[in-house]
Amino acid sequence: MTTATAELLTVPEVMVRLKVGRSTVYDLIRSRRLTSITIGRPRRIPADAVRDFIVDQIEEAA
């Protein structure tokens, strides 16, 4: 999937997928561990970025 056609998620959608709170999602964005873009005012997180984050966490734990 190319970046131009990537599914964009809202912060609440990422919260559900990662089972974490709002502040944790924003901390991940702030620390650049989770890629996001701003469209107008709200943040959007590519679904690929969430998958990459999960894979990175699994690799770190191994």
Side-chain angles (χ1 to χ4, degrees):
M1 183 179 298
T2 64
T3 305
T5 60
E7 177 186 10
L8 297 175
L9 304 172
T10 63
V11 169
E13 290 170 332
V14 174
M15 291 167 52
V16 169
R17 288 189 184 201
L18 296 179
K19 295 178 177 43
V20 297
R22 178 181 298 283
S23 61
T24 300
V25 174
Y26 281 109
D27 286 343
L28 292 170
I29 292 169
R30 219 175 287 117
S31 65
R32 300 189 186 275
R33 295 177 69 198
L34 190 59
T35 303
S36 71
I37 60 172
T38 304
I39 299 176
R41 184 174 163 137
R43 287 272 173 189
R44 296 291 183 253
I45 300 95
D48 291 344
V50 176
R51 281 190 290 276
D52 291 346
F53 173 77
I54 293 168
V55 168
D56 289 346
Q57 292 302 298
I58 291 169
E59 289 175 356
E60 284 181 20

